[in-house]
Amino acid sequence: MNKHIATMVLAGAAPAAHAAVADLAGSWTLVAADVQRPDGSIERDYGAAPKGRLFIDAQGRYALQIFKAERPRFASADKAAGTSDELRAAVLGSSTHYGTVALEDGQLVFRIEGASFPNWEGTVQRRSFELHGDELRYRVPARPDGGIPISVWRRMP
């Protein structure tokens, strides 16, 4: 784990209260996808080298994809023929959603229209965030087990 990133996230630099959606517009690549456990420890949530992209346009429309790099390939070239273990690894090794994002009260507000996890569709998620130059980091709402996902993105040139 990149302890520098985790330390900075946990240190909780002030949210980017003066940012605007236009400041977020562009293409972002995933730097880290970690999870903070209830005991405060930080673990890799999507493996050692997660992959991902976040695209935000000037109007606040977004699309986000996160993938665990270590997802096993299916034995068959037919996705519908995947075993339960292959399908489980594919689902748990990815997170994708799209919709609109806004800045409200110093938080990122995702209005999720479509998601790989159907329970998120039609929901609104508020996330504390920091924007430092070309680095965006935010904390996802806590999971049922108390873990808090932390995503770190770098703006692509």
Side-chain angles (χ1 to χ4, degrees):
M1 172 179 71
N2 186 328
K3 292 185 185 212
H4 177 69
I5 289 173
T7 300
M8 289 173 57
V9 169
L10 292 176
H18 301 294
V21 170
D23 296 325
L24 301 175
S27 300
W28 301 81
T29 189
L30 188 65
V31 174
D34 296 334
V35 62
Q36 180 181 358
R37 298 290 177 206
D39 66 4
S41 64
I42 300 288
E43 297 175 7
R44 292 289 188 196
D45 203 24
Y46 283 84
K51 302 184 283 188
R53 292 285 189 273
L54 169 61
F55 303 100
I56 303 173
D57 72 14
Q59 291 74 40
R61 290 180 295 258
Y62 81 92
L64 178 150
Q65 304 88 34
I66 296 175
F67 299 99
K68 183 176 183 177
E70 300 88 356
R71 290 174 302 141
R73 292 190 174 275
F74 285 29
S76 171
D78 179 3
K79 181 168 62 171
T83 67
S84 59
D85 286 343
E86 290 169 334
L87 293 167
R88 179 178 172 81
V91 169
L92 294 177
S94 63
S95 178
T96 65
H97 51 93
Y98 68 90
T100 60
V101 63
L103 298 174
E104 298 173 7
D105 301 321
Q107 293 185 314
L108 284 175
V109 179
F110 287 88
R111 288 177 174 81
I112 301 173
E113 296 172 22
S116 57
F117 182 52
N119 297 23
W120 280 11
E121 292 183 2
T123 66
V124 175
Q125 291 187 4
R126 296 182 172 278
R127 300 176 182 182
S128 60
F129 79 103
E130 301 165 26
L131 178 62
H132 299 287
D134 288 337
E135 184 175 274
L136 170 65
R137 58 182 73 228
Y138 58 77
R139 300 166 71 84
V140 176
R143 293 176 177 158
D145 68 1
I148 299 171
I150 301 167
S151 298
V152 182
W153 303 88
R154 183 180 62 248
R155 189 183 308 272
M156 297 173 68

